[in-house]
Amino acid sequence: MESSANAERHLLLKRGESHAASARKLDDGEKNAALSSGPEESSSKISAAPSVASSSMPSLLTQAPSLDSSPHPSSAPSNAPMPKSPFPKDREIDFGFGGVDFSRRAYRVANVPAGEYVGIVSQAADDASFLFIERGPDSKLLLKMFAFEDFPSSAVTPILIEIPSKSLQAVGLSTTREHFYVVYSGDMKVLPNSATGFLALKSDSKYTQNIVDTEALAISVWPALEYHQMYNDAWRMLRDYFYDKDMTGINWPEVHARYLPLVKRCVKREDLDDVLAQMAAELSALHVFVYGGEYASPIHGSKLLKFVNDVASLGATFERSADWKGYVVTSIPERDPDFNLKDGDAIYSPLSDRTLRMSGQRGLEVGDVIVGINGESVMRVPDLNMLLRGMAGQSVRLEVLRLASNSTTQRALEENVLDDNNVLIPEPVIAVPIPSSDVGGLLYDAWEWKTRQAAKDMAKEKGFTVGYLHLQSMGKNDIDAFVRGYYPEYNKEALIVDVRHNKGGNIDSWLLDALQRKAWMYWQSRTKNITTGGLGWDEHFAFRGHLVVLIDSHTSSDGEGFSRGVSELGLGKLIGTRTWGGGIWLSSENKLVDGGIATAPEIGTYNANFGWGLGIENLGVEPDIEVDNNPRTAYDGKDDMLERAIDHLAQWLKDEPVVFPPPPDRKDNSLHAQGCPVN
């Protein structure tokens, strides 16, 4: 605390010295101006200079032998040449922007002690002190100031800026760099970018002084001008980010001029998207996407209005039945019970037994009928889901005829639960609908689990074992999907990696690395090997069987890169249809001013076999065996691609069986075997 206080006093003293130095500089300037009023005064000033210099250091000019024999030196300047100095001339040093003073201040950052710093906010404009962002032990962001002593001292004192009960949310500089702003728990403060501003922030420990009123903070935007600016920015960044500096021969300035008149006709953000998409499409590259930005919304970003207008779902499909005066359950999607977490949460159908049994109820089954929701007959609305608007995450009361699960029927038989007209009385069920945004994931996961089970069942009928895993994309979450699907199945005779509908990412090299492992030695104890519960082989988890990769027209980006890698490295066969065709990768960093983007294909790929784009860009990856699913039969659950993969693997295993190598005969180390006489 004492060192921190001393550092603060040091900064204040330096501020005072700086003002005093400025005043002295002004006084000296005035005196010099007065002394230079005429030729005589100028002559006396010059002649006085050597005497001042000689008081501290000998002057080369005064010590040199005189070349003038006149006993009375003239006051006029001499035309005689200067004698050559006996000392070598020092090299002139260019300190660049700001001169030596700036250099001395800038290099102070090297003396900052080590820490987990997130970034440098600024160096004070009038002082060598820095303001840093540091990550604390609990990952909380903190501001820390570093006060420096005067040059040539390299001493530095860290000063932590603490605001009790508040957390740092944002910090940055103004465009002029004259001010900096900080935001703690939603409250903003703007301060001068100087030692005084740094100390003002440190001294306001309660964070109550000079708080900016942001309630009415707004920005005025002229859409027509902003659209013009964003068009220019999108065109320029496509030019600067595109992987080929020659734009593959396209006259890019001409493209700008061609679509510019259309920008003037844009009356809303969606219109600009259309123009950007047409302009960017001139590149004829697949990784060009136009999305994001600020669009007009009827709910104006309100979470409440979004929730109220969201049509929740019971996580099942239904068929309207006039006979039963309700909606008959036709399917209840179920996901893998062993791996049931998605982003940390378990999402089941609200009507499944896994969900309802947690509240002491029984799940519904296909064939049960829902006749009412919250006391309203479902036949009084055009669609059952209309009664679920704004009900996501809230309990609803369903009136259910359990025709399939038999609960109502059994009670009717045992307890005579019938009305006066011998009509079954519906059973109440309390369910919690899920948001509409979760329905797609639930159906996708259910399809994935059903496909895995189908692959295993078909392989069992064919007489071999198979592992199956599906990758929805190639992101960080799909690393978990690969681990879950691959490592429990690595010792199977065959493996199917399904990348149909894969949305891409950047983990292909990690997947290919795992699949390239080779078994080079085997483990065998006295009674066990991998076939009887023992260890298997090295390299650990090396897959020794036959590999098939399923692809289709929606396999895109890194899904295609993975497929091409499997083919090029000879790891397996590709079955399905030609893929999407995007072989130039991107980072999606060229954002526009409103957060939108027209992405630039910026990372070219090539190899000796296919050249640029790996034979993927604009072409797609061709399968080794082409099979397409019939849309009509696929709707009914038939998967022609999967069936063809199982048939191919069965024949492949018949031609090239995958067997565990039998151990060699053990060496006979007896004396008799070695030819030694045995008494």
Side-chain angles (χ1 to χ4, degrees):
M1 293 297 293
E2 184 177 351
S3 62
S4 176
N6 291 336
E8 293 178 33
R9 285 196 295 272
H10 172 69
L11 284 175
L12 290 174
L13 286 173
K14 289 178 68 178
R15 289 285 295 157
E17 292 171 359
S18 176
H19 289 303
S22 300
R24 288 196 300 271
K25 185 176 181 180
L26 180 61
D27 293 343
D28 293 341
E30 292 172 351
K31 293 177 182 178
N32 292 336
L35 290 174
S36 59
S37 58
E40 294 182 2
E41 291 85 353
S42 176
S43 176
S44 63
K45 180 182 176 183
I46 293 173
S47 63
S51 63
V52 174
S54 62
S55 64
S56 58
M57 183 179 67
S59 169
L60 293 178
L61 179 61
T62 57
Q63 299 299 315
S66 175
L67 300 179
D68 189 357
S69 58
S70 173
H72 303 288
S74 171
S75 61
S78 172
N79 293 325
M82 290 286 292
K84 184 177 180 181
S85 171
F87 303 105
K89 185 179 179 181
D90 289 339
R91 178 180 297 176
E92 293 184 1
I93 300 176
D94 181 10
F95 289 96
F97 172 80
V100 66
D101 183 61
F102 176 81
S103 299
R104 287 171 176 170
R105 291 173 52 207
Y107 282 103
R108 297 293 186 85
V109 72
N111 298 321
V112 172
E116 190 177 353
Y117 302 113
V118 177
I120 303 175
V121 179
S122 180
Q123 186 178 35
D126 59 351
D127 190 81
S129 301
F130 281 90
L131 197 61
F132 275 58
I133 307 173
E134 185 178 28
R135 192 180 304 279
D138 55 353
S139 296
K140 184 178 180 180
L141 296 181
L142 306 168
L143 276 181
K144 183 174 283 189
M145 179 171 62
F146 293 95
F148 291 88
E149 299 292 338
D150 287 327
F151 182 83
S153 173
S154 60
V156 57
T157 303
I159 303 173
L160 180 63
I161 297 176
E162 294 182 287
I163 309 296
S165 72
K166 289 184 179 291
S167 58
L168 179 66
Q169 292 179 311
V171 60
L173 287 175
S174 66
T175 54
T176 62
R177 306 183 71 83
E178 294 177 355
H179 295 82
F180 71 96
Y181 67 88
V182 291
V183 180
Y184 279 92
S185 301
D187 295 329
M188 176 184 286
K189 178 182 288 196
V190 178
L191 296 161
N193 184 21
S194 63
T196 303
F198 289 4
L199 291 174
L201 177 61
K202 174 67 174 69
S203 61
D204 186 14
S205 59
K206 295 183 179 180
Y207 203 74
T208 57
Q209 301 175 11
N210 302 320
I211 302 299
V212 178
D213 181 11
T214 58
E215 289 297 322
L217 192 63
I219 184 171
S220 178
V221 175
W222 192 340
L225 294 179
E226 187 176 60
Y227 294 163
H228 191 278
Q229 185 271 340
M230 286 195 288
Y231 174 81
N232 289 337
D233 251 10
W235 175 88
R236 176 182 57 80
M237 287 192 285
L238 284 169
R239 178 199 67 191
D240 296 344
Y241 279 69
F242 193 57
Y243 82 104
D244 179 17
K245 64 181 179 62
D246 296 323
M247 307 301 288
T248 60
I250 299 169
N251 187 337
W252 200 235
E254 191 274 331
V255 170
H256 179 276
R258 186 189 313 161
Y259 291 98
L260 182 60
L262 297 179
V263 179
K264 299 178 181 178
R265 304 178 63 179
C266 295
V267 296
K268 57 183 180 178
R269 185 61 172 82
E270 289 83 353
D271 293 341
L272 180 64
D273 276 356
D274 289 341
V275 177
L276 294 179
Q278 293 180 56
M279 181 263 289
E282 295 282 346
L283 293 172
S284 296
L286 269 291
H287 274 109
V288 174
F289 311 111
V290 176
Y291 61 91
E294 296 176 343
Y295 303 103
S297 169
I299 62 175
H300 305 289
S302 169
K303 294 182 179 180
L304 176 61
L305 290 176
K306 180 179 180 181
F307 172 79
V308 168
N309 287 277
D310 182 58
V311 178
S313 172
L314 292 173
T317 59
F318 303 93
E319 183 178 336
R320 188 182 177 95
S321 172
D323 294 336
W324 289 105
K325 298 181 180 179
Y327 281 78
V328 180
V329 178
T330 55
S331 70
I332 299 177
E334 295 286 352
R335 57 190 300 168
D336 189 343
D338 295 325
F339 300 110
N340 52 37
L341 294 183
K342 186 165 188 176
D343 298 330
D345 298 319
I347 300 178
Y348 299 114
S349 167
L351 303 184
S352 69
D353 191 60
R354 287 195 184 93
T355 300
L356 292 177
R357 70 185 178 190
M358 290 188 289
S359 57
Q361 305 177 95
R362 292 180 55 209
L364 273 64
E365 296 180 11
V366 173
D368 289 338
V369 182
I370 297 177
V371 297
I373 298 177
N374 286 340
E376 183 95 13
S377 171
V378 296
M379 301 301 287
R380 299 184 63 179
V381 292
D383 188 274
L384 171 147
N385 290 322
M386 293 183 67
L387 299 177
L388 299 174
R389 184 183 299 274
M391 299 303 295
Q394 301 187 45
S395 297
V396 297
R397 177 186 171 110
L398 308 178
E399 305 296 335
V400 179
L401 296 177
R402 290 188 178 270
L403 303 182
S405 49
N406 293 326
S407 175
T408 302
T409 305
Q410 292 299 325
R411 290 176 60 201
L413 293 175
E414 297 173 3
E415 304 176 14
N416 196 28
V417 186
L418 301 170
D419 63 11
D420 295 338
N421 298 318
N422 290 329
V423 177
L424 293 175
I425 299 176
E427 177 180 315
V429 173
I430 305 300
V432 180
I434 59 177
S436 59
S437 58
D438 288 342
V439 177
L442 177 63
L443 295 174
Y444 202 131
D445 292 341
W447 169 84
E448 185 178 345
W449 186 42
K450 182 178 68 175
T451 306
R452 181 186 300 119
Q453 296 303 112
K456 290 182 175 294
D457 291 342
M458 286 189 285
K460 186 177 181 179
E461 292 178 3
K462 297 285 186 178
F464 67 94
T465 59
V466 68
Y468 171 92
L469 65 96
H470 176 75
L471 297 174
Q472 298 185 18
S473 58
M474 293 287 187
K476 61 181 181 180
N477 293 332
D478 302 283
I479 294 177
D480 292 338
F482 180 81
V483 170
R484 292 195 305 263
Y486 174 75
Y487 287 99
E489 312 279 16
Y490 80 96
N491 58 349
K492 298 295 192 293
E493 295 173 273
L495 177 66
I496 299 174
V497 179
D498 192 345
V499 292
R500 292 177 293 179
H501 283 72
N502 187 284
K503 296 184 288 294
N506 193 23
I507 64 170
D508 63 293
S509 59
W510 185 77
L511 304 181
L512 294 171
D513 179 67
L515 293 173
Q516 285 185 89
R517 291 184 175 185
K518 301 294 184 183
W520 66 274
M521 59 88 76
Y522 300 88
W523 300 94
Q524 173 72 61
S525 69
R526 190 166 184 171
T527 58
K528 290 183 179 180
N529 59 28
I530 195 170
T531 63
T532 55
L535 296 174
W537 48 78
D538 271 356
E539 299 176 72
H540 290 315
F541 303 109
F543 174 64
R544 300 173 53 251
H546 299 313
L547 172 67
V548 161
V549 176
L550 296 180
I551 58 177
D552 66 5
S553 59
H554 295 284
T555 302
S556 61
S557 192
D558 200 35
E560 298 176 280
F562 168 75
S563 304
R564 177 64 81 203
V566 168
S567 178
E568 285 289 276
L569 296 170
L571 300 178
K573 298 294 184 180
L574 308 180
I575 295 179
T577 60
R578 184 172 63 88
T579 62
W580 176 60
I584 306 172
W585 293 4
L586 73 170
S587 66
S588 300
E589 293 178 349
N590 52 316
K591 295 290 183 70
L592 300 174
V593 67
D594 70 343
I597 191 173
T599 60
E602 56 188 289
I603 307 168
T605 57
Y606 64 92
N607 70 1
N609 191 16
F610 287 98
W612 281 109
L614 298 176
I616 300 174
E617 181 65 27
N618 287 323
L619 298 172
V621 178
E622 294 283 352
D624 298 307
I625 301 173
E626 186 170 3
V627 182
D628 199 359
N629 281 344
N630 184 298
R632 181 64 190 86
T633 57
Y635 180 82
D636 293 331
K638 181 177 173 57
D639 193 336
D640 293 329
M641 293 182 182
L642 182 64
E643 292 179 7
R644 184 67 179 87
I646 294 296
D647 290 341
H648 178 75
L649 286 169
Q651 184 61 45
W652 196 353
L653 286 166
K654 182 178 180 180
D655 297 338
E656 302 176 26
V658 177
V659 297
F660 191 81
D665 294 334
R666 289 180 173 84
K667 184 178 180 181
D668 188 348
N669 287 325
S670 66
L671 293 176
H672 177 74
Q674 302 300 322
C676 299
V678 179
N679 295 328

